[in-house]
Amino acid sequence: IQASTDWTSGGSAGRVILSTDTLTLDSEPDTQLFPAFVNAGSYEQSLGDAGSIEINAGSLNLLNGSWLSAMSDGNGDAGTISIRADTVLLEGTHERVLTGKVEGSFIDANTTGAGGGGTIDIKAGSVDIRTDGHITAGSWGPGDAGTIRLEATDSVSISSAT
């Protein structure tokens, strides 16, 4: 699912809203060309901001290198990811067929350009981040890093995660 801008765009990325009992993104088998993803990002040289992703679910599962992203590689700011769920699980890796690059499951609102990092806001009963799962709102450019807010009413578990 994608509501992003590309390098020729002067506008901002769009908004993705998903409401369901269970949302599972699973990038198995590794033979898939691309991992399973939801993207509201803004790409290199784009002038606009990244968009937003809103998820309301009983259960959110990002498995085998799947991802949610509101990143910015351009001049605009990274976007916002808002998750409301009973349970959130990030686990596993995916090897990209074209590049051989191995990626873990992630949620990101990073920036690599002039814009600032975005905001990730997670409110859940439990959050479980396992092998190679990660949540980031960092900066790999001149822009400021973003914000991660995680509120769990039951538990947060991080094991062998980055």
Side-chain angles (χ1 to χ4, degrees):
I1 298 173
Q2 188 155 310
S4 61
T5 63
D6 68 14
W7 64 272
T8 62
S9 175
S12 294
R15 186 173 174 193
V16 177
I17 302 169
L18 300 169
S19 297
T20 185
D21 288 336
T22 301
L23 176 59
T24 299
L25 301 179
D26 190 348
S27 293
E28 277 297 313
D30 274 347
T31 56
Q32 292 184 57
L33 193 55
F34 298 103
F37 66 88
V38 176
N39 183 23
S42 175
Y43 287 101
E44 187 175 356
Q45 298 179 0
S46 173
L47 300 175
D49 294 335
S52 65
I53 299 171
E54 298 174 30
I55 296 177
N56 297 293
S59 175
L60 171 61
N61 305 297
L62 301 180
L63 307 174
N64 301 307
S66 300
W67 49 270
L68 304 175
S69 180
M71 51 71 68
S72 175
D73 280 337
N75 293 314
D77 292 334
T80 299
I81 299 174
S82 175
I83 298 169
R84 304 293 177 265
D86 295 330
T87 62
V88 175
L89 171 63
L90 285 77
E91 180 177 36
T93 61
H94 174 83
E95 181 176 352
R96 290 193 177 197
V97 173
L98 296 177
T99 64
K101 182 179 179 181
V102 176
E103 294 181 334
S105 298
F106 65 86
I107 300 169
D108 90 55
N110 295 325
T111 181
T112 61
T119 299
I120 300 171
D121 185 20
I122 301 173
K123 291 185 180 175
S126 65
V127 176
D128 194 1
I129 303 171
R130 298 183 188 164
T131 305
D132 294 314
H134 55 275
I135 300 171
T136 60
S139 175
W140 286 266
D144 293 334
T147 301
I148 299 171
R149 285 189 295 264
L150 184 112
E151 181 181 322
T153 56
D154 294 326
S155 66
V156 174
S157 174
I158 301 173
S159 57
S160 298
T162 58

